[in-house]
Amino acid sequence: MMTRLTDDIVEKIIGSLDGKNEALISQTGMGILDLAYDAVGIAPDKIDLRGVKVAAVPVTSGLGVIKKFSESVAEIVRKLGMEAFVTESADVTGLAEALSAGADIVFMADDIKFIALNIRAGRFSNNSFATAAGYVSALKGAAEGLAGKDVLVLGAGRVGSIAAELMAGMGACVTVYDIDEKKVKDLSDKTDIKRAEDAGAALSAHTLVLNASPAAIDGRCVKEGTIFSSPGLPFPFDGLGMKKARMIIHDPLDIGVAVMAVQSASFSRRP
Ligand code: 2YJ
């Protein structure tokens, strides 16, 4: 299951970027640009983002254009130091416009996929991977390392599964809960993770949580002092959960887009 961004959520993104970045620095020790480099595993001096030209192309298929979505993507990318514009036209005409204007990277999203296509390299970064990698880096920063630590992943969808694999690869002890047990079983077949049978009990036993589920989180189950890295939409916490949590890292678009931008740019970096 995937939750689509709404006009209301997206409306507030541009105005919140600087404040979000400040919060991220105090939460993780990294601003969004450093976090994106960390997520992709590339040293900042290895790619120069200035001069990279990014186009965001609105896409009308399916449920259609989300107001300010492309503008928000462009603004997030500008804050990283890249050049960015939104095409006037949507869809194929918009893509043609982006290419004619010399775009190096094109962001576009329908209801299923959100990609950053590097035209020069013929490769794309996808939002599910980038979101997982970005929120794993954020949790790692906030927890000052994940190796040997118990981490709970809520949701074994695309983002949760990738996050679980990444953290298991970092030496964390990963437990995964999904209401759909089969998803967790499939994941545990290929990755060294434990399966949680009950979300509440699992929450009560963890202080490091990566939440990639659209479900609400019951504050009564939250352990005092928990660090949540939480890309899941809609915002899942109640008042009690927010009070008990030590930290909640959450945004609707910023981290995922920043990681996509840096990863996509890295595809055409000169060795
Ligand atoms: O161009 C637009 O304004 C719309 N077509 C954007 C649609 C954005 N798509 C989503 O929010 C989907 N949930 C897909 C995101 C992939 C997440 N991994």
Side-chain angles (χ1 to χ4, degrees):
M1 162 160 179
M2 179 162 40
T3 313
R4 194 178 137 97
L5 290 163
T6 61
D7 287 354
D8 283 356
I9 293 174
V10 177
E11 177 79 56
K12 301 189 186 79
I13 292 176
I14 293 177
S16 73
L17 288 176
D18 291 334
K20 280 282 191 193
N21 193 43
E22 289 303 313
L24 204 58
I25 292 171
S26 66
Q27 289 174 316
T28 69
M30 292 175 278
I32 192 154
L33 180 58
D34 289 335
L35 187 130
Y37 280 114
D38 184 69
V40 173
I42 290 172
D45 61 346
K46 289 278 186 274
I47 342 169
D48 192 3
L49 298 181
R50 282 164 313 181
V52 176
K53 202 165 174 181
V54 173
V57 178
V59 171
T60 64
S61 77
L63 296 171
V65 171
I66 298 171
K67 234 167 99 192
K68 298 264 182 77
F69 178 81
S70 296
E71 284 78 3
S72 300
V73 169
E75 191 58 21
I76 292 166
V77 163
R78 275 185 210 116
K79 297 267 183 198
L80 304 176
M82 295 161 130
E83 213 184 293
F85 65 102
V86 178
T87 56
E88 271 170 45
S89 299
D91 304 329
V92 177
T93 310
L95 178 58
E97 186 186 329
L99 298 179
S100 300
D104 300 301
I105 293 174
V106 179
F107 278 76
M108 42 194 168
D110 62 14
D111 298 334
I112 299 164
K113 287 231 181 217
F114 177 21
I115 68 168
L117 171 65
N118 182 319
I119 304 292
R120 317 283 166 225
R123 294 176 65 188
F124 65 91
S125 169
N126 89 73
N127 182 257
S128 300
F129 174 83
T131 302
Y135 277 82
V136 164
S137 279
L139 187 62
K140 188 184 74 181
E144 296 178 9
L146 293 176
K149 297 191 183 159
D150 290 323
V151 183
L152 174 64
V153 175
L154 296 176
R158 283 182 284 193
V159 173
S161 299
I162 297 167
E165 288 182 48
L166 289 172
M167 293 193 288
M170 291 172 175
C173 306
V174 182
T175 300
V176 181
Y177 172 81
D178 195 291
I179 193 161
D180 181 348
E181 285 182 19
K182 187 173 176 312
K183 283 191 184 164
V184 187
K185 282 212 177 89
D186 290 347
L187 183 62
S188 64
D189 285 344
K190 48 176 186 146
T191 312
D192 185 19
I193 56 139
K194 281 178 268 181
R195 183 169 67 89
E197 278 168 28
D198 181 78
L203 269 172
S204 307
H206 286 85
T207 53
L208 296 176
V209 180
L210 195 142
N211 172 49
S213 154
I217 288 177
D218 184 344
R220 287 171 302 182
C221 302
V222 171
K223 214 171 156 179
E224 200 84 39
T226 299
I227 298 175
F228 284 97
S229 189
S230 185
L233 280 169
F235 187 74
F237 301 96
D238 57 20
L240 182 60
M242 291 203 288
K243 224 173 91 190
K244 286 159 94 179
R246 181 173 133 210
M247 204 187 285
I248 296 173
I249 300 159
H250 171 86
D251 73 65
L253 200 61
D254 323 7
I255 289 177
V257 166
V259 177
M260 289 168 81
V262 170
Q263 187 183 35
S264 194
S266 77
F267 294 149
S268 55
R269 103 188 116 119
R270 286 161 205 79

